[in-house]
Amino acid sequence: MAASLRCFLRSGKKAVSALGQREFHKSAPVAAQVTVRDALNQAMDEELERDERVFLMGEEVAQYDGAYKVSRGLWKKYGDKRIIDTPISEMGFAGIAVGAAMAGLRPICEFMTFNFSMQAIDQVINSAAKTCYMSAGLQAVPIVFRGPNGASAGVAAQHSQCFAAWYAHCPGLKVVSPWNSEDAKGLLKSAIRDDNPVVFLENELLYGVPFEMSEEAQSKDFTIPIGKAKVERAGTHVTLVSHSRYVGYCLDAAAVLTKEGIECEVINLRTIRPMDVESIEASLMKTNHLVTVEGGWPQFGVGAEICARIMEGPAFNYLDSPVTRVTGVDIPMPYAKILEDHSLPQIKDIIFSVKKTLNV
Amino acid sequence: MKTMLAIISNALCRMTGRNAGARVVVSRSFADFTPQATFDIKKCDLHRLEEGPPLKAELTRDQGLQYYRTMQTVRRMELKADQLYKQKIIRGFCHLYDGQEACAAGIEASINPTDHLITAYRAHGYTYTRGVSIKEILAELTGRKGGVAKGKGGSMHMYAPHFYGGNGIVGAQVPLGAGIALACQYQGNDQLCVTLYGDGAANQGQLFESFNMAALWKLPCIFICENNKYGMGTSVERASASTDYYKRGDFIPGIRVDGMDVLCVREATKFAADHCRSGKGPIIMELQTYRYHGHSMSDPGVSYRTREEIQEVRTKSDPISMLKERMLSNNMASVEEFKEIDVDIRKQVEEAAQFATSDPEPPLEDLCNHIFCNNPPLEVRGTNPWSKLKSVSKT
């Protein structure tokens, strides 16, 4: 109790997240509002504590508390050995992280944004993803590559790309894209405990957003399995499938559409690879209509893959209209706010697409 | 009596040039041989070091025979691979190591089996010195299920405990090696990592990123540049503004070593290992060596260098001949002994090749296995939507 009062007095801002901290488990167990940032922080803190082979490396993760403050407090708690600030050398430190994973450690390699991972993509794909296969199982690479992915706000073309499709293309990688705080915490813990390379795509705009976390989700052993989607909202008329930030947009669109009598079922993919197509198919066989929503570019993207998989599977015959993809506009991200706003799916675009798909 | 027979048989052998005293040889006492000798080795050029490796190396008879055996095994194994490739039994990439044997043998002689080693694609020699059998290496080259990677990896992707391949992307193995060294430091196990690369890879940016971090964090990493004078078809003069590869680490101390002399390599690596283990951080070694074959089996290796050059190295600097001559001229072993070793190695390589050509290819059921480690089974899409294949982690 005293702790929360202190926290509250220290900074009103942090009061909300203070409620989510573990000290309160001993008192009344209760759901709490926790930001995605704090959920990620908790996940890493718990896994660092649980397994001494786990360590975090990346630019500004230690003394700066993380470029986006995701690793706040970890360096103070765990020190130089386990929270390592690197020079600006993505290819070098990604390779170092992969080598450390090969030699028995469990690194979390942070890319300040996934745009910079392109510098290091050879290490992610050729050194990490393919090694278990090439060695016929002799050499495991238990590594997590994490960082913000996709568009932010006003950061323009070189800093706004979504890499979900790029990484999800490659066998040997698991690609995870959480939406809310429970997703973030549960999936990051699973990713760290996984003995294989996991690309963990966060979203910068979600870091500060609080979500309710159940009591169960606040426990130290809470994990969410990689490869399982979640139905965030049940519906009957149309299935909306999305990942990361756009799950929220789908739910917002659903809230508008319900007033017009259209009930949307919203699926949060959670994992891009391996994709839980079965959940999409089960939903589609109920609703007969499918709309995919993503922030990435349309060509060769997540929505394109969903379309192809639906066509190849049992749910195709249940479609009453072709699958609709709602995506980012096929351009490099512009800077001016009005242009940026129109480069990405808006709620009205989702609503429009649903109605077109339902032919209403 | 035995000594008398020894002298007679030796004389007979030298006169006739044949194994005239063969039966006598077998019963001869080996106490006649010099058990140990000290050899002068070339002085190493130093960068940012006050002192370097010693100028003399001690060699015991047993060590000498062991190094000979190792180098000759690698030599014969590589020549067998050449043969199998020309018969089209080995396909794809095949980068042969003959000529460079002293590097692999010398390094292995100076590190512990618990130390770690990673190299690039010219990896068969190191795969052997790090403990994989000739049989498993050749069978991997021929793509059979008895290969060290069950036929899934091929020439450039062979692994063993504390040996991380075999890496196909030029230079990518260097940050990996620095990472392995980080793990050694993190785990406080007094182990180190030997990270090898070539004169071609020496110009890769990721090397300099690795040098920086390794020096910053004092990682126990020995970076070794095997300078065989050619990066594929480009000579060092045409590729590098500075060909002093031992200096390219700038703030990292470096040694330039005669890579054709197994004793020189051994002493230099010992020196480097002591440097790392004492917590001083990384060190760079440049091994000046030579490859007899072209870059790979698809390169005859004579369009960018002369046959005379290759021949000159073979006659004047061959690492195996050099060791053999040293031992013979110091009476550390006999010609017959070396011949026996040669015969035995030939037999082993022949048997391994037999296995590699007769072992079955991996079963089709194995196609999708080992995508992940320690993972529940999963389904993998085949070439068409009706082809649903199975992938398991453990077989």
Side-chain angles (χ1 to χ4, degrees):
Chain A
M1 224 19 179
S4 80
L5 195 61
R6 263 195 311 247
C7 283
F8 194 88
L9 292 170
R10 212 175 284 149
S11 79
K13 278 186 292 181
K14 284 210 260 179
V16 169
S17 54
L19 287 170
Q21 285 171 27
R22 272 185 311 292
E23 359 181 296
F24 283 89
H25 285 180
K26 292 176 194 125
S27 46
V30 78
Q33 289 282 309
V34 180
T35 61
V36 171
R37 173 184 289 113
D38 288 341
L40 293 167
N41 188 285
Q42 276 176 34
M44 288 197 284
D45 191 356
E46 288 169 8
E47 295 306 300
L48 282 158
E49 194 178 275
R50 176 181 179 268
D51 186 340
E52 60 184 18
R53 297 170 299 172
V54 176
F55 72 98
L56 171 67
M57 74 188 297
E59 294 155 11
E60 311 304 340
V61 297
Q63 296 190 18
Y64 198 85
D65 271 334
Y68 301 98
K69 307 299 181 215
V70 177
S71 53
R72 176 171 43 212
L74 296 179
W75 175 65
K76 243 198 188 126
K77 183 171 176 185
Y78 294 101
D80 287 330
K81 178 180 168 182
R82 307 205 47 213
I83 312 293
I84 304 176
D85 274 337
T86 65
I88 307 174
S89 310
E90 275 76 6
M91 197 168 188
F93 73 69
I96 284 178
V98 175
M102 290 178 172
L105 300 183
R106 304 189 72 91
I108 306 168
C109 176
E110 177 176 306
F111 291 119
M112 198 182 278
T113 75
F114 266 94
N115 301 287
F116 315 142
S117 74
M118 274 203 285
Q119 306 263 5
I121 200 165
D122 176 65
Q123 297 289 359
V124 178
I125 306 298
N126 281 318
S127 301
K130 297 180 184 172
T131 293
C132 184
Y133 186 86
M134 291 192 296
S135 68
L138 284 178
Q139 181 63 69
V141 187
I143 188 169
V144 176
F145 297 101
R146 52 160 289 273
N149 174 61
S152 177
V155 294
Q158 292 180 344
H159 288 74
S160 305
Q161 188 169 332
C162 174
F163 287 85
W166 281 36
Y167 286 116
H169 184 60
C170 302
L173 278 183
K174 298 186 185 185
V175 180
V176 174
S177 185
W179 166 54
N180 62 16
S181 301
E182 279 200 18
D183 288 356
K185 183 173 174 194
L187 288 169
L188 185 52
K189 285 167 78 77
S190 292
I192 294 167
R193 295 184 191 190
D194 201 306
D195 287 339
N196 297 285
V198 180
V199 168
F200 193 88
L201 303 170
E202 300 161 6
N203 186 291
E204 200 223 310
L205 297 170
L206 287 175
Y207 283 151
V209 179
F211 290 93
E212 191 170 287
M213 268 183 93
S214 66
E215 174 209 335
E216 187 210 347
Q218 291 169 63
S219 107
K220 280 189 190 180
D221 294 310
F222 173 71
T223 58
I224 290 177
I226 293 177
K228 259 333 259 135
K230 183 181 179 205
V231 178
E232 297 287 350
R233 182 191 193 278
T236 47
H237 297 119
V238 60
T239 301
L240 298 179
V241 182
S242 187
H243 72 100
S244 188
R245 188 153 167 251
Y246 292 93
V247 175
Y249 280 47
C250 288
L251 289 169
D252 291 343
V256 173
L257 287 163
T258 189
K259 296 189 194 127
E260 299 179 48
I262 299 172
E263 291 306 321
C264 302
E265 180 145 294
V266 177
I267 296 182
N268 172 5
L269 277 175
R270 285 179 158 177
T271 301
I272 313 290
R273 182 180 182 115
M275 191 183 289
D276 182 3
V277 187
E278 289 77 31
S279 291
I280 306 175
E281 286 171 336
S283 174
L284 173 53
M285 294 201 266
K286 210 176 53 171
T287 65
N288 310 115
H289 298 88
L290 179 58
V291 176
T292 70
V293 184
E294 68 196 285
W297 293 316
Q299 296 197 38
F300 306 92
V302 175
E305 176 65 15
I306 292 173
C307 289
R309 297 274 271 267
I310 293 300
M311 282 207 288
E312 291 182 349
F316 173 70
N317 289 311
Y318 290 76
L319 279 170
D320 283 350
S321 60
V323 179
T324 298
R325 296 179 295 161
V326 178
T327 69
V329 178
D330 203 12
I331 50 171
M333 180 67 70
Y335 167 67
K337 184 156 201 321
I338 187 173
L339 296 181
E340 187 183 58
D341 287 344
H342 285 84
S343 307
L344 294 165
Q346 300 180 31
I347 295 168
K348 63 178 171 69
D349 296 318
I350 304 174
I351 294 169
F352 173 81
S353 300
V354 165
K355 288 182 175 172
K356 282 290 251 185
T357 308
L358 291 172
N359 201 24
V360 297
Chain B
M1 186 59 190
K2 277 186 178 169
T3 319
M4 279 289 292
L5 289 168
I7 295 170
I8 293 167
S9 77
N10 269 340
L12 278 170
C13 286
R14 285 189 193 121
M15 284 189 302
T16 62
R18 289 188 291 123
N19 233 349
R23 244 165 276 163
V24 178
V25 170
V26 173
S27 62
R28 184 182 58 195
S29 157
F30 291 105
D32 291 331
F33 290 122
T34 315
Q36 185 170 303
T38 307
F39 295 96
D40 290 327
I41 52 177
K42 228 196 230 164
K43 185 170 190 288
C44 296
D45 294 318
L46 302 176
H47 171 69
R48 289 190 190 269
L49 283 166
E50 292 297 312
E51 285 166 353
L55 298 173
K56 288 189 194 296
E58 276 176 22
L59 181 71
T60 68
R61 199 184 107 81
D62 285 342
Q63 284 171 341
L65 290 173
Q66 190 205 319
Y67 303 159
Y68 178 85
R69 185 176 268 278
T70 301
M71 293 196 288
Q72 188 70 295
T73 303
V74 173
R75 174 70 58 93
R76 296 252 60 96
M77 182 179 74
E78 295 293 79
L79 294 179
K80 177 57 70 178
D82 169 278
Q83 194 182 59
L84 291 170
Y85 196 94
K86 285 171 176 153
Q87 294 173 301
K88 297 201 199 297
I89 301 171
I90 296 177
R91 24 187 296 277
F93 288 129
C94 193
H95 307 88
L96 297 178
Y97 196 68
D98 51 313
Q100 300 184 214
E101 297 86 355
C103 299
I107 290 169
E108 193 61 36
S110 53
I111 60 173
N112 305 322
T114 45
D115 288 322
H116 308 261
L117 191 141
I118 188 170
T119 185
Y121 49 75
R122 200 174 300 282
H124 309 157
Y126 291 101
T127 314
Y128 176 72
T129 55
R130 285 263 99 190
V132 180
S133 67
I134 312 167
K135 205 172 87 158
E136 280 185 296
I137 295 173
L138 290 181
E140 186 60 34
L141 292 177
T142 56
R144 308 301 164 100
K145 71 180 200 337
V148 65
K150 300 193 168 91
K152 303 287 262 294
S155 169
M156 301 185 293
H157 309 296
M158 303 196 210
Y159 301 81
H162 297 235
F163 175 61
Y164 304 82
N167 289 274
I169 308 296
V170 172
Q173 77 278 11
V174 177
L176 295 180
I180 296 162
L182 178 87
C184 295
Q185 185 189 65
Y186 188 104
Q187 291 164 331
N189 53 25
D190 205 38
Q191 292 164 10
L192 53 80
C193 184
V194 175
T195 303
L196 292 132
Y197 58 96
D199 48 277
N203 296 317
Q204 271 270 312
Q206 54 188 320
L207 260 73
F208 298 93
E209 295 189 12
S210 307
F211 292 162
N212 180 44
M213 285 182 272
L216 204 54
W217 300 331
K218 293 197 163 30
L219 301 181
C221 189
I222 306 176
F223 294 105
I224 301 186
C225 176
E226 282 181 293
N227 177 5
N228 60 19
K229 320 232 177 339
Y230 299 93
M232 204 155 155
T234 307
S235 68
V236 293
E237 300 79 36
R238 294 202 303 126
S240 304
S242 162
T243 55
D244 291 333
Y245 296 103
Y246 71 112
K247 289 185 185 171
R248 297 285 289 277
D250 188 7
F251 36 78
I252 298 181
I255 325 174
R256 181 157 56 192
V257 181
D258 177 4
M260 303 306 266
D261 178 354
V262 66
L263 295 178
C264 212
V265 176
R266 186 191 73 184
E267 292 307 310
T269 314
K270 255 191 209 157
F271 177 88
D274 288 340
H275 177 102
C276 282
R277 275 190 243 276
S278 65
K280 295 197 184 115
I283 188 168
I284 292 181
M285 276 168 53
E286 177 188 338
L287 302 179
Q288 296 195 299
T289 184
Y290 199 84
R291 54 165 162 83
Y292 296 144
H293 269 84
H295 162 70
S296 71
M297 286 305 296
S298 54
D299 169 27
V302 287
S303 62
Y304 49 87
R305 56 183 189 172
T306 62
R307 287 182 210 272
E308 289 74 43
E309 179 188 282
I310 307 170
Q311 206 33 47
E312 190 173 344
V313 178
R314 263 195 212 278
T315 40
K316 293 196 183 143
S317 320
D318 183 272
I320 301 175
S321 307
M322 273 187 8
L323 176 66
K324 184 172 169 184
E325 268 144 39
R326 264 179 167 154
M327 290 183 74
L328 286 174
S329 55
N330 283 270
N331 196 33
M332 293 180 82
S334 72
V335 174
E336 296 78 37
E337 245 181 316
F338 284 119
K339 279 214 178 83
E340 270 172 34
I341 295 174
D342 288 350
V343 166
D344 184 46
I345 291 172
R346 244 180 241 271
K347 181 160 151 280
Q348 280 185 43
V349 171
E350 203 47 58
E351 276 168 14
Q354 249 310 103
F355 174 77
T357 46
S358 61
D359 198 44
E361 287 187 289
L364 282 179
E365 295 75 55
D366 205 36
L367 179 67
C368 299
N369 291 339
H370 308 117
I371 296 175
F372 293 123
C373 289
N374 299 331
N375 211 63
L378 57 121
E379 197 177 84
V380 174
R381 187 192 194 277
T383 56
N384 62 70
W386 298 272
S387 170
K388 297 188 208 294
L389 307 171
K390 188 147 170 255
S391 174
V392 298
S393 283
K394 295 228 187 303
T395 48

